[in-house]
């Protein structure tokens, strides 16, 4: 059984007795899955010359598009350590976390993203299993039309706005021109 | 069936085929529970005179001890909105979020806590179902010996250190005297 082929499990949305909102319940064994928002940890990582580490995705969603090294935080992990682990897994990059660059809320998919600013400790990078290609990009060479997610664009802009600064508040979601968020 | 009385569900720790770490699997239906770290959202909320909102817990863990209004972020919610919801649920407090005060990693229990600084919009507060008592405390009146969790102490100290300041980086875990964290 691979992760994509789950059998059974919680699949029915219903309000369990004594609760006030819908949960996913397994029709076979009655198990209630308490779904929680997920934490994504990632980094804008730069080499000494300022070039930024990007990874081209080998997996869906947005396969073939470029992204920052980032992924779901694991159990028992601290957030900065998780961001460093993701850089290793996706780009075989050894990095040193500098500070928290941004915190993004993506309520549509129930994610909170913690994006750190980090330094690449060695330019020796190569694709991990979830990347088809990795690279270091100067600002003008970033493949802007092929970035995987809006929060990649937000993170890159936040990084640029904070170049040379220290002790700043993390960036947040940009104003939503439609909903005035 | 109440939340405390789950039947069946994922209960066996094993490494699913094609994965690299243990997951909780249901022995009845094969469902794999991907456990993720949880996000706690809360606030250090003050009334106009600087007094701080605390709640005495009606529930375990740490029943009877004082805490900040905080709890698990819900699906589809933004983090600041979640902190405001918790203030309402636990203290019937209407609050306005000011900024992110601290981000704490509690890897032992796989939590990330996002603690905001907030203003109380009306001093009319009362206990919600998870509180036995709520109150507004001047610094010297805080029940220091009866605070529920270390991160409550950390948050209060962070709040005090940032009084009158704006645009600061969020606080993080204090240095660990044992492990040098
Ligand atoms: Zn089941
Ligand atoms: Zn089951």
């Amino acid at each position: 059984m691979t992760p994509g082929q789950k059998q059974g499990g919680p699949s029915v949305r219903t309000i369990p007795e004594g609760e006030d909102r819908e949960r996913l319940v397994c029709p076979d064994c009655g198990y209630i899955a308490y779904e929680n928002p997920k934490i994504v940890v990632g980094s804008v990582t730069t080499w000494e010359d300022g070039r930024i580490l990007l990874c081209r995705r080998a997996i869906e969603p947005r396969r073939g598009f470029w992204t920052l090294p980032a992924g779901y935080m694991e159990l028992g992990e601290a957030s900065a350590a998780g961001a460093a682990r993701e850089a290793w897994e996706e780009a075989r990059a050894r990095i040193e976390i500098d500070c928290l660059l941004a915190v993004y809320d993506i309520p549509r998919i129930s994610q909170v993203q913690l994006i750190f600013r980090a330094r690449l400790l060695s330019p020796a990078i190569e694709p991990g299993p979830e990347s088809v290609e990795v690279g270091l990009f100067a600002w003008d060479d970033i493949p802007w039309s092929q970035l995987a997610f809006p929060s990649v664009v937000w993170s890159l802009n936040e990084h640029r706005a904070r170049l040379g600064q220290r002790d700043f508040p993390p960036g947040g979601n940009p104003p939503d021109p439609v909903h005035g968020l």
Side-chain angles (χ1 to χ4, degrees), chain A:
Chain A
M1 189 158 53
T2 66
Q5 301 170 300
K6 290 173 204 163
Q7 302 174 351
S11 59
V12 177
R13 291 204 169 271
T14 184
I15 302 181
E17 203 181 310
E19 299 212 35
D20 64 354
R21 63 187 78 204
E22 282 195 343
R23 308 288 181 186
L24 265 182
V25 178
C26 177
D28 300 328
C29 66
Y31 175 74
I32 304 171
Y34 287 88
E35 301 169 281
N36 295 102
K38 290 197 177 67
I39 305 169
V40 167
V41 286
S43 62
V44 178
T45 287
T46 50
W47 177 236
E48 295 167 353
D49 57 10
R51 283 181 301 156
I52 296 169
L53 174 61
L54 295 177
C55 311
R56 199 151 73 82
R57 293 171 64 81
I59 55 173
E60 297 294 349
R62 302 290 279 164
R63 182 175 168 157
F65 288 78
W66 291 87
T67 190
L68 296 167
Y72 290 121
M73 193 172 162
E74 286 280 354
L75 289 183
E77 185 171 67
S79 50
R85 175 185 51 73
E86 288 291 341
W88 174 257
E89 288 182 4
E90 301 188 356
R92 297 298 178 241
R94 291 189 305 110
I95 73 174
E96 183 176 69
I97 301 291
D98 172 21
C99 65
L100 186 61
L101 178 68
V103 178
Y104 298 121
D105 282 304
I106 322 281
R108 184 180 57 81
I109 51 173
S110 293
Q111 276 187 7
V112 171
Q113 302 190 350
L114 302 177
I115 308 297
F116 294 86
R117 183 166 78 178
R119 281 178 292 273
L120 188 58
L121 296 175
S122 156
I125 55 173
E126 56 182 78
E130 296 182 0
S131 305
V132 288
E133 187 181 354
V134 296
L136 294 171
F137 293 87
W139 185 257
D140 291 334
D141 298 331
I142 289 172
W144 293 103
S145 66
Q146 299 168 64
L147 295 180
F149 307 108
S151 59
V152 175
V153 180
W154 305 344
S155 298
L156 291 169
N157 282 324
E158 189 70 34
H159 178 263
R160 180 124 173 132
R162 294 299 186 182
L163 274 178
Q165 295 182 37
R166 297 192 59 78
D167 297 328
F168 50 83
N173 296 47
D176 178 335
V178 177
H179 303 97
L181 176 70

